[in-house]
Amino acid sequence: MVLNSLSLFPTKDLPGYIQGASSPKDMVIIVDVSGSVSGLTLKLMKNSVIEMLETLSDDDYVNVAKFNEKAAAVVPCFRTLVQANNRNKEIFRKAVCDMSAKGTTDYKSGFTFAFEQLLNESSAPRANCNKMIMMFTDGGEDRAQDIFEKYNWPNKTVRVFTFSVGQHNYDVTPLQWIACANKGYYFEIPSIGAIRINTQEYLDVLGRPMVLAGNKAQQVQWTNVYQDVLGLGLVITGTMPVFNRTVDTVSPQNQLILGVMGVDIAINEIKRKTPTYRLGANGYTFAIDPNGFVLLHPNLRPKIFDYKEPVTLDFLDAELEDSNKEEIRRQMIDGKSGQRKIKTLIKSVDERYIDEAVRTYTWTPVNGTDYSLGLVLPTYSENHIKANLSDQILQVQYFESLLPNSFESEGHVFIAPREYCDDLELSNNNTEFLLNFIALMEKVTPDSKHCDNLLLHNLILDTGIIRQLVEKVWKNKDLNTYGFLAVFAASDGGVTRVFPNKAAETWEEDPEPFNASYYRRSLDNKGYIFRAPYRTARDELLNPENDTIGILVSTAVEITVGGKTIKPAVVGVKLDLEAWTDKFKILASNHTDNNQGSNTCGPNRGCEMDCEANSEDLLCYLIDDGGFLIMSNQKEEWNKVGMFFSDVDPYLMYALYNNSFYNRKQSYDYQSVCEKVSKSQNGAAPRGVFVPTIADFVNVAWWTSAAAWSLFQQFIYGLAYQSWFVRDEVDAEGMDSTRVRSCVMKQTQLIHAKRINNTNLLFVVAEKMPCNSCEIEKLSQEEEEFKDENPCEELTVPRYRKGPGTCFDNNLTENTSDCGRGHSFRPSLYTLLLIQLLLLYPAVSPHFHSLLH
């Protein structure tokens, strides 16, 4: 693949081109907001600055300032250059859109601000390469020469690029001189259609030192993860610049970068190379770049794709951050190898629970790249079962239990939708996938070279083992006697069997055990894990009289082979809520004298703890480790089982939290999607063109004003540059029409501090205490959007990163004579006077006639 800068396709938008065409940048953008900048010009300027920000990557640093008589940063708390990551660029976009114009122009104030930002010694991180100033203005006479003499001459370590924005008749010579005198380039942006190309062409100037450096600069650069515009999904790109190496010393063409050559590598292809199923349900691999962003991680799941924006999820945001992970991240960025066993917090798949677990992190750099690869394993996944069913008769016997005609007697089977064989057709419908699998197995053997033999052998072995569990245990038990709606078993091999068969009709768990929350939590927790069907306060209440409510209880199977402990499967039951609530009330009672009746509880007398007899006075609950209701002795609350307990009894929930039975943990999801707030669109004319009203047309004064000439000039210019009349996609001031947007969601989970032994439950008994007037903080577990309304308050210390080790920003042989020329439409003075006289004629002709008569 070649990303050609000369192509009509907008390849300069691609991260591969942006990072490959120049060394990292330290950029200060200064924007003229004097009173002469208004209306269309101000809108063009805002959009131009926003488009300029899109040319920056995570290796770059930037600040944006506005100036008139004085200069100030558009984001007050950004006192130095900040990393050009997605978050900071979004903050800049909002601030730029809020700019207004007033006052007079003073170039010196803007340039002084910019030079001091770039040249002052600071401990703040920056690229320390390609220092540049981008000035956007509508024009002016000042050349600010004394500022350049003070800060930039004679070495000219800072390039200055000037942009003349809007339709005007100012002399552009000063702007051209400023750019040419400081190794920069002069550009004109007369219309919305000229924004994109003119805010990207500066990359060609930055590429000159790279071309002149020759082979030293032709190094492979690796990009962030981004969404491929051609539909390959998430990709990374290895890029290398392509130079013009002609020997013609007269023409400056021999210092131009022709384009960027790159190779896309799909993240899915990398995933296929990792031994996912050998690492167990809670083991995984990940990789990060020098900025600490993950390119491979099970939690990297972007929901919105924009090919212009890289997918940037920090390793510390992909997991729950702690000091151990900060150190692991730092060592990986520095290219070191290591291993560390840590106790850390793990968020469940359904994001409702947090478990404390032990993980071993192992990491090493990837040769030939600046990436680092990591491996995470729980202790029980450091070894795995490798089945070898060489007995074909046994293979057939085990395989028969996968056939649907055995379900009625042996229970329903779900198999994980894995790529067992090359020719296996995948399907989201598990029944259809099972039939596809059976049809293929009738044609090939588990030892076929077109199949993953390990996956197939483990699947068939687990199928046979679970079948024996059915024959020897499950069939011999009356499930109703125990209050069981179903029994089940799931394994690392990808088999889930639910018994009896009819229970499969209400089975809602993921057929891939590695994606099922109950499976992964059971492996990380000792004992029995209870879980009710999840409900929120907004959901329709359950009806226990008509609906059979099941409570899922699961536990891991732990076996030791040769001194190695593994957990290859999870088994469990589904409890009938009504039957087990009756058992719960009996088990939760504490009678000291079985022959004596229970005493009624009251404020002035004690009573027996009898959750059955004293249900009018005592509240008895089983709550799980996430704060969700499992069982209650209050029949009217059975329809609330599965709700967060604060939605059942907010006062009692707050008391439990206040007394440290639960701890609260907040985290953030940086890959969420929110509904876009629609903004009204005024008019449907091509962007950037002033649309006069009917009143304007009939108003003679309007025709004799400068507005008429401006519109006429726009029309003439548009004939030559048709892009003026073409709607261009620019994300600014409500121009994006998509219905969703990327956002950050704040999540809150509770961590169970005290549990019933061998379970994840808390048993609560309390007297009914009417407290409707109590003022408390109602706890909530529902995620809410985190709005960074004041970035200055949320500004934190930048995380550790490491920029590229090479910089090509200066070469003594560079030819800077090509620095831009003006091409604005300039009518002659005589033509202008003629047109103005023609426009004035209708207004003055009545006066001439009256004088003559």
Side-chain angles (χ1 to χ4, degrees):
M1 178 189 71
V2 176
L3 308 178
N4 187 350
S5 66
L6 303 178
S7 171
L8 295 177
F9 186 77
T11 51
K12 289 188 179 181
D13 287 349
L14 295 177
Y17 187 90
I18 291 173
Q19 291 181 249
S22 67
S23 294
K25 301 174 278 294
D26 284 326
M27 177 187 292
V28 177
I29 302 172
I30 55 176
V31 188
D32 182 358
V33 291
S34 60
S36 62
V37 180
S38 60
L40 295 174
T41 302
L42 181 60
K43 178 175 284 190
L44 283 174
M45 207 166 286
K46 291 179 180 181
N47 288 321
S48 299
V49 173
I50 289 172
E51 195 68 32
M52 178 64 69
L53 290 171
E54 297 304 317
T55 67
L56 303 178
S57 72
D58 294 293
D59 291 332
D60 304 321
Y61 284 78
V62 65
N63 205 349
V64 181
K66 56 186 177 181
F67 72 92
N68 38 42
E69 303 95 341
K70 297 181 180 179
V74 294
V75 182
C77 58
F78 287 173
R79 297 181 178 88
T80 62
L81 275 68
V82 297
Q83 187 181 14
N85 55 37
N86 287 348
R87 176 186 179 274
N88 290 337
K89 287 195 287 188
E90 182 60 28
I91 293 172
F92 279 129
R93 289 186 196 104
K94 293 177 181 178
V96 167
C97 286
D98 291 337
M99 291 190 311
S100 58
K102 61 180 179 180
T104 58
T105 305
D106 183 1
Y107 286 173
K108 294 180 181 179
S109 67
F111 282 121
T112 299
F113 177 94
F115 277 115
E116 290 184 351
Q117 287 270 305
L118 290 169
L119 302 180
N120 280 358
E121 295 295 331
S122 172
S123 59
R126 58 179 57 185
N128 292 316
C129 187
N130 273 323
K131 295 179 173 61
M132 69 190 72
I133 299 171
M134 306 299 205
M135 183 179 73
F136 292 87
T137 181
D138 64 340
E141 300 298 328
D142 189 8
R143 301 192 177 201
Q145 182 171 340
D146 53 337
I147 301 298
F148 302 125
E149 290 175 349
K150 177 180 178 180
Y151 290 102
N152 205 36
W153 294 352
N155 296 327
K156 300 182 181 179
T157 57
V158 177
R159 295 182 188 267
V160 179
F161 296 84
T162 56
F163 297 82
S164 176
V165 183
Q167 293 284 322
H168 52 73
N169 295 307
Y170 302 136
D171 181 13
V172 300
T173 304
L175 295 180
Q176 293 174 350
W177 180 88
I178 290 172
C180 294
N182 293 278
K183 296 173 62 176
Y185 207 91
Y186 166 75
F187 298 97
E188 290 185 351
I189 303 179
S191 68
I192 201 83
I195 289 178
R196 179 170 295 172
I197 187 171
N198 284 306
T199 53
Q200 295 173 350
E201 289 299 317
Y202 79 95
L203 292 170
D204 291 339
V205 178
L206 299 188
R208 292 173 183 172
M210 295 180 65
V211 178
L212 296 172
N215 292 335
K216 293 181 181 179
Q218 283 195 309
Q219 302 176 2
V220 176
Q221 298 286 333
W222 291 92
T223 68
N224 298 115
V225 178
Y226 66 97
Q227 175 69 10
D228 182 63
V229 69
L230 300 178
L232 294 178
L234 295 179
V235 299
I236 55 173
T237 300
T239 66
M240 181 180 289
V242 179
F243 301 149
N244 179 358
R245 297 203 170 184
T246 57
V247 191
D248 184 5
T249 56
V250 178
S251 171
Q253 295 300 311
N254 60 353
Q255 63 180 9
L256 282 182
I257 181 169
L258 297 179
V260 174
M261 178 176 64
V263 176
D264 290 340
I265 300 177
I267 297 299
N268 283 334
E269 291 299 322
I270 300 177
K271 288 181 179 179
R272 290 190 181 97
K273 301 297 182 181
T274 59
T276 304
Y277 301 111
R278 303 184 190 187
L279 304 180
N282 288 319
Y284 58 91
T285 57
F286 70 97
I288 68 173
D289 66 14
N291 285 299
F293 297 131
V294 297
L295 59 119
L296 183 67
H297 197 284
N299 293 334
L300 179 62
R301 297 187 296 267
K303 301 179 180 70
I304 289 183
F305 295 114
D306 181 355
Y307 77 90
K308 293 196 298 181
E309 288 286 357
V311 179
T312 53
L313 178 66
D314 196 281
F315 169 64
L316 297 179
D317 295 326
E319 305 191 1
L320 294 178
E321 181 177 355
D322 59 39
S323 58
N324 284 309
K325 292 176 183 175
E326 287 179 7
E327 180 59 26
I328 291 171
R329 177 183 179 274
R330 177 181 288 268
Q331 291 198 23
M332 293 180 72
I333 290 174
D334 287 339
K336 298 179 180 179
S337 299
Q339 185 178 82
R340 181 176 294 190
K341 180 174 286 190
I342 65 174
K343 185 176 289 187
T344 186
L345 297 179
I346 308 293
K347 190 185 297 184
S348 65
V349 176
D350 54 18
E351 299 182 331
R352 292 164 53 197
Y353 303 92
I354 289 181
D355 296 311
E356 187 177 63
V358 175
R359 296 287 189 267
T360 299
Y361 283 74
T362 307
W363 61 92
T364 189
V366 179
N367 293 334
T369 74
D370 49 12
Y371 299 134
S372 186
L373 182 65
L375 171 66
V376 182
L377 286 176
T379 305
Y380 52 81
S381 292
E382 293 176 356
N383 299 277
H384 67 276
I385 295 176
K386 184 177 180 180
N388 184 13
L389 292 176
S390 56
D391 189 338
Q392 294 186 354
I393 297 177
L394 197 60
Q395 287 182 15
V396 173
Q397 290 177 352
Y398 286 173
F399 180 75
E400 287 178 350
S401 63
L402 289 175
L403 301 176
N405 57 20
S406 68
F407 289 176
E408 194 60 39
S409 61
E410 299 178 359
H412 194 96
V413 173
F414 299 91
I415 64 170
R418 302 174 182 175
E419 296 182 9
Y420 299 100
C421 297
D422 296 339
D423 297 331
L424 178 59
E425 184 177 350
L426 299 178
S427 173
N428 292 327
N429 184 302
N430 198 258
T431 301
E432 182 179 341
F433 176 71
L434 178 61
L435 295 176
N436 293 341
F437 177 79
I438 293 171
L440 183 63
M441 288 298 99
E442 292 174 350
K443 301 176 183 177
V444 300
T445 66
D447 298 313
S448 170
K449 63 180 181 179
H450 298 293
C451 298
D452 188 319
N453 307 134
L454 178 66
L455 279 184
L456 276 177
H457 279 267
N458 283 352
L459 172 70
I460 295 173
L461 174 65
D462 290 356
T463 300
I465 294 174
I466 296 176
R467 182 183 188 182
Q468 293 179 30
L469 182 64
V470 175
E471 296 291 343
K472 296 180 180 180
V473 181
W474 293 354
K475 283 186 175 182
N476 300 327
K477 304 293 183 182
D478 183 3
L479 301 186
N480 292 328
T481 303
Y482 296 95
F484 295 163
L485 297 174
V487 290
F488 66 91
S491 73
D492 282 358
V495 179
T496 301
R497 187 180 289 275
V498 180
F499 182 86
N501 185 41
K502 65 178 182 180
E505 298 174 3
T506 57
W507 186 258
E508 298 179 351
E509 307 302 325
D510 198 308
E512 172 55 82
F514 286 11
N515 294 337
S517 182
Y518 80 89
Y519 192 90
R520 294 173 64 167
R521 294 200 69 220
S522 297
L523 296 176
D524 273 335
N525 290 272
K526 293 182 179 180
Y528 298 94
I529 301 301
F530 288 71
R531 198 197 70 190
Y534 176 61
R535 307 192 65 74
T536 68
R538 297 186 302 272
D539 292 334
E540 184 179 349
L541 294 177
L542 295 170
N543 185 352
E545 295 181 358
N546 298 327
D547 301 327
T548 301
I549 305 172
I551 306 296
L552 202 70
V553 186
S554 57
T555 187
V557 176
E558 185 174 308
I559 60 176
T560 301
V561 180
K564 307 292 186 180
T565 300
I566 58 175
K567 296 181 179 180
V570 169
V571 296
V573 300
K574 183 177 280 191
L575 307 179
D576 184 339
L577 175 65
E578 185 174 0
W580 272 84
T581 300
D582 292 336
K583 298 177 186 290
F584 159 65
K585 288 189 290 186
I586 296 173
L587 294 171
S589 300
N590 180 23
H591 297 285
T592 57
D593 185 355
N594 292 331
N595 298 322
Q596 187 176 4
S598 300
N599 297 322
T600 303
C601 299
N604 299 320
R605 59 184 182 274
C607 64
E608 299 285 358
M609 191 189 76
D610 192 330
C611 293
E612 183 175 23
N614 291 328
S615 59
E616 294 184 0
D617 303 294
L618 284 180
L619 299 172
C620 299
Y621 297 109
L622 281 179
I623 310 172
D624 72 11
D625 54 333
F628 295 91
L629 180 62
I630 300 296
M631 289 184 189
S632 169
N633 70 331
Q634 307 295 308
K635 190 170 183 178
E636 64 272 14
E637 292 177 342
W638 290 1
N639 58 1
K640 298 180 180 179
V641 165
M643 284 187 180
F644 189 57
F645 192 60
S646 189
D647 293 326
V648 179
D649 191 330
Y651 308 104
L652 182 54
M653 184 71 228
Y654 183 76
L656 293 172
Y657 169 72
N658 203 37
N659 286 279
S660 300
F661 285 93
Y662 287 95
N663 297 320
R664 183 159 52 177
K665 174 69 177 178
Q666 289 185 332
S667 58
Y668 298 90
D669 180 2
Y670 292 88
Q671 304 174 94
S672 293
V673 173
C674 296
E675 186 175 343
K676 182 178 284 291
V677 179
S678 61
K679 295 185 179 181
S680 60
Q681 302 289 336
N682 296 323
R687 295 174 186 160
V689 179
F690 173 72
V691 182
T693 64
I694 295 177
D696 290 327
F697 278 112
V698 299
N699 189 337
V700 174
W702 180 84
W703 282 99
T704 61
S705 69
W709 165 245
S710 176
L711 180 62
F712 178 74
Q713 187 184 27
Q714 292 175 15
F715 175 75
I716 297 297
Y717 199 98
L719 294 179
Y721 299 93
Q722 295 184 8
S723 62
W724 175 260
F725 292 98
V726 177
R727 299 179 186 273
D728 195 27
E729 296 179 4
V730 179
D731 299 331
E733 300 187 2
M735 294 184 181
D736 191 352
S737 60
T738 55
R739 296 183 179 180
V740 295
R741 59 185 171 86
S742 177
C743 61
V744 179
M745 300 298 288
K746 183 168 68 175
Q747 298 177 335
T748 302
Q749 289 88 13
L750 294 186
I751 304 176
H752 208 318
K754 300 179 181 180
R755 308 184 182 191
I756 299 175
N757 288 339
N758 217 33
T759 73
N760 67 324
L761 299 178
L762 177 68
F763 176 41
V764 179
V765 180
E767 292 186 48
K768 286 188 177 180
M769 298 290 290
C771 192
N772 295 330
S773 61
C774 298
E775 293 185 4
I776 62 165
E777 175 194 359
K778 184 179 178 181
L779 302 177
S780 175
Q781 211 227 18
E782 290 193 37
E783 64 179 12
E784 59 182 1
E785 183 178 358
F786 173 72
K787 296 184 178 180
D788 198 2
E789 296 179 350
N790 190 343
C792 297
E793 292 181 358
E794 301 297 332
L795 193 63
T796 58
V797 178
R799 286 170 172 163
Y800 179 72
R801 65 175 295 276
K802 189 176 182 180
T806 58
C807 173
F808 299 95
D809 62 353
N810 183 53
N811 193 294
L812 296 178
T813 63
E814 178 183 346
N815 184 343
T816 61
S817 61
D818 181 14
C819 52
R821 293 291 181 267
H823 303 287
S824 292
F825 174 75
R826 295 287 183 266
S828 68
L829 179 62
Y830 297 107
T831 305
L832 177 61
L833 289 174
L834 178 61
I835 293 176
Q836 290 285 48
L837 287 174
L838 291 173
L839 292 173
L840 285 170
Y841 177 75
V844 299
S845 59
H847 297 286
F848 282 112
H849 286 293
S850 62
L851 289 174
L852 293 174
H853 292 85

